[in-house]
Amino acid sequence: MANYIIEGGKRLEGEVKISGSKNASLPIICASILNGKKTKLYNVPDIHDTQVTLKILRYIGCKVKKDNDKIEIDSRYITKKEIPEDLMHQMRSTVILAGAILGRFKEVTFSYPGGCDIGARPIDLHLKSFKKLGINIAENYGFIRCSCDKIVGTNIDLDFPSVGATENIILASVLAEGKTVITNAAREPEIVDLVNMLKKMGAIISGEGTNIIQIEGVKELKEVKYRIMPDRIETGTFLCAGAITGGKIKVTNCIPEHIVPITSKLEEAGCNILIEKNSIELKAPTRLKAVELKTMPYPGFPTDMQSIFGTVLSVSKGTSVITENIFENRFKYLAELKRMGAKNKQEGNVAIITGVRRLSGTNVKSTDLRGGAAMILAGLNAKGTTTVTNIEYILRGYENIDKKLNKIGANIRIEE
Ligand code: EPZ
């Protein structure tokens, strides 16, 4: 288990280039199964989660060539329609592979994706939607076997605007017979990116980015070349790193309109934000101010930024209140921050944070992917040395975060 060692107290200054989006790459890599031809993807982040997804594609029979951020996938020779259990458990979002394999082959077998550190992560909405599409589902011994003669388009209303369920319905219905209408669909930008790629393949889809998405089934899909959008959560993470160190940073190769809730909360906390077409410049005040925030489905404040922003608020003047409305177990990082001198308490899905002047370095653990990123930011602020353990979580979703931080003045190194 590797650790990050961080010498805190350095003001971050300079420019950082954002990588491709993890949460757009994963469904888009899965979508390459659908055309039974070649797919060329650009700006794919080289992180654990994309590596695992590509490993599963190879396992089922795809030919995968990787050249840095360029990935070429040939899905002509797929022979297997089941996702191996050990790989299934390495990553939650492998469940969207099911929709892609089903969409093309009308059958798939996979195991229940384990819960994870931020909550139970049920897949009931996915399975309920598959059933509505005419897919038979047999569950036994922890395995789920889905099969049908054909997938017939239908109307599906989601109890919750689930990102994964919305993606799975789209992947399963682009080659279906007839039309599928999803109401209460998720509106996240990653879904728009997936749909843009599918439409380039020849899919007929409308309403992406709204809560009503319509998919008209087509007979087959074409070869495609597609560039993945920048990662909005990485963008927010680096802006918060600038904020928590009193720094001045410019984030380039990003899409500012994807993170309006974050930039407006940073402004409310006293930061100066300059927004240009594909870059955001942040100048932090000497002391940040407390704010209140609630996580919501897009376009609300993203749950993935909650622990990172909660860390910034730990050194802001006054008392902040955070309400986490999406996942039931996303406050574990608060206890780690307390070890660094932070003052906070949790009441159910609400965290009350009383800002302190500065944190102090010690050993803390990554509780999950975004909780781990939050510990890095805490270490950047803290007096002395901070050791962040279990960094495998962080490597799942951030490409070269240590190199990028050192380039703008941080002092962080990996200790194997
Ligand atoms: C996606 O997860 C993201 N992951 C998550 O990012 C993100 O936090 C989440 O969307 C919300 O924005 C990827 O895109 C790979 P959901 P997903 O289905 O699809 C409940 C990160 O850090 N739910 O929108 O799993 C669920 O329990 C990760 O990059 C059901 O009850 O999220 C949760 O409370 C973490 N039944 C809520 O909906 C279901 O069948 C939102 O989940 C599905 C979900």
Side-chain angles (χ1 to χ4, degrees):
M1 304 269 223
N3 308 323
Y4 281 130
I5 313 291
I6 302 160
E7 300 306 330
K10 318 266 183 295
R11 284 181 79 251
L12 298 189
E13 292 208 37
E15 267 192 32
V16 63
K17 184 172 177 293
I18 295 301
S19 299
S21 162
K22 164 177 94 77
N23 291 347
S25 301
L26 301 177
I28 285 173
I29 290 170
C30 296
S32 69
I33 290 171
L34 289 164
N35 63 6
K37 300 180 179 80
K38 283 190 179 167
T39 297
K40 280 190 182 155
L41 301 176
Y42 303 92
N43 201 32
V44 180
D46 187 15
I47 51 179
H48 178 267
D49 278 9
T50 51
Q51 292 155 10
V52 169
T53 309
L54 293 170
K55 214 154 98 181
I56 297 175
L57 258 61
R58 285 196 181 95
Y59 171 88
I60 64 173
C62 291
K63 303 239 177 318
V64 178
K65 280 190 215 138
K66 190 170 166 308
D67 168 16
N68 291 320
D69 69 327
K70 292 171 206 48
I71 307 278
E72 182 175 312
I73 299 162
D74 181 346
S75 60
R76 277 178 291 181
Y77 310 108
I78 291 176
T79 53
K80 297 191 181 84
K81 282 89 179 184
E82 80 279 339
I83 306 170
E85 190 175 5
D86 59 321
L87 291 177
M88 194 75 204
H89 282 188
Q90 284 189 37
M91 196 174 68
R92 279 275 324 149
S93 47
T94 33
V95 67
I96 39 180
L97 273 158
I101 298 172
L102 263 178
R104 173 144 167 234
F105 297 106
K106 316 290 180 276
E107 61 166 297
V108 67
T109 302
F110 59 101
S111 64
Y112 257 99
C116 71
D117 316 89
I118 59 176
R121 310 292 292 274
I123 58 169
D124 55 312
L125 300 178
H126 299 246
L127 299 179
K128 212 163 105 179
S129 305
F130 284 167
K131 282 183 190 146
K132 285 217 69 179
L133 287 163
I135 296 159
N136 308 308
I137 297 180
E139 300 177 49
N140 37 40
Y141 311 115
F143 280 88
I144 303 169
R145 179 161 163 62
C146 306
S147 61
C148 59
D149 298 332
K150 59 183 175 174
I151 296 178
V152 181
T154 184
N155 296 337
I156 299 175
D157 182 67
L158 287 173
D159 300 344
F160 182 88
S162 154
V163 172
T166 303
E167 291 167 347
N168 243 340
I169 297 165
I170 293 170
L171 291 166
S173 56
V174 283
L175 291 169
E177 283 187 15
K179 180 180 198 176
T180 298
V181 180
I182 311 170
T183 44
N184 197 23
R187 300 164 55 186
E188 272 69 3
E190 291 77 18
I191 290 172
V192 176
D193 217 30
L194 168 64
V195 170
N196 289 342
M197 179 258 196
L198 288 167
K199 285 161 93 167
K200 271 190 87 174
M201 273 179 156
I204 301 172
I205 305 172
S206 61
E208 63 279 11
T210 76
N211 52 12
I212 299 177
I213 299 177
Q214 309 204 25
I215 305 110
E216 193 66 59
V218 292
K219 287 258 172 297
E220 70 167 306
L221 296 164
K222 301 176 290 196
E223 289 198 356
V224 70
K225 289 182 182 159
Y226 193 74
R227 181 174 183 78
I228 307 280
M229 74 178 208
D231 192 308
R232 61 189 170 105
I233 306 301
E234 187 192 17
T235 304
T237 303
F238 276 98
L239 289 172
C240 286
I244 202 170
T245 58
K248 182 172 185 293
I249 71 163
K250 182 171 184 179
V251 175
T252 62
N253 186 45
C254 66
I255 301 180
E257 53 269 21
H258 284 173
I259 61 159
V260 167
I262 297 151
T263 45
S264 58
K265 278 296 163 194
L266 284 167
E267 278 178 328
E268 204 182 314
C271 296
N272 236 316
I273 302 260
L274 174 66
I275 288 182
E276 288 162 342
K277 191 168 176 314
N278 288 110
S279 69
I280 302 171
E281 203 163 325
L282 173 138
K283 188 172 178 341
T286 33
R287 185 84 197 276
L288 294 154
K289 288 180 281 188
V291 299
E292 301 208 359
L293 68 88
K294 294 179 171 26
T295 67
M296 298 298 280
Y298 194 87
F301 191 96
T303 173
D304 291 350
M305 282 300 302
Q306 185 263 104
S307 54
I308 292 157
F309 215 97
T311 302
V312 173
L313 296 175
S314 299
V315 293
S316 300
K317 191 169 184 319
T319 299
S320 299
V321 181
I322 296 183
T323 308
E324 170 58 61
N325 292 312
I326 309 293
F327 287 107
E328 68 272 24
N329 192 18
R330 219 165 188 178
F331 280 137
K332 289 196 305 196
Y333 70 98
L334 293 174
E336 298 303 307
L337 287 176
K338 270 189 185 151
R339 293 169 45 77
M340 299 178 75
K343 293 199 176 358
N344 59 57
K345 66 177 175 174
Q346 178 185 347
E347 310 274 347
N349 71 329
V350 176
I352 295 120
I353 296 170
T354 307
V356 295
R357 271 231 164 266
R358 200 160 162 214
L359 299 171
S360 47
T362 184
N363 291 358
V364 286
K365 65 174 190 295
S366 304
T367 53
D368 53 74
L369 163 57
R370 307 300 175 182
M375 291 306 111
I376 291 179
L377 266 63
L380 293 174
N381 169 277
K383 285 189 289 294
T385 306
T386 300
T387 299
V388 180
T389 63
N390 299 66
I391 68 166
E392 302 70 47
Y393 281 116
I394 303 169
L395 300 175
R396 284 189 41 204
Y398 288 93
E399 187 180 47
N400 299 324
I401 189 168
D402 49 345
K403 292 187 184 69
K404 290 182 179 182
L405 283 169
N406 284 332
K407 202 165 148 274
I408 52 176
N411 178 341
I412 171 172
R413 62 184 170 79
I414 280 197
E415 174 195 69
E416 299 301 335

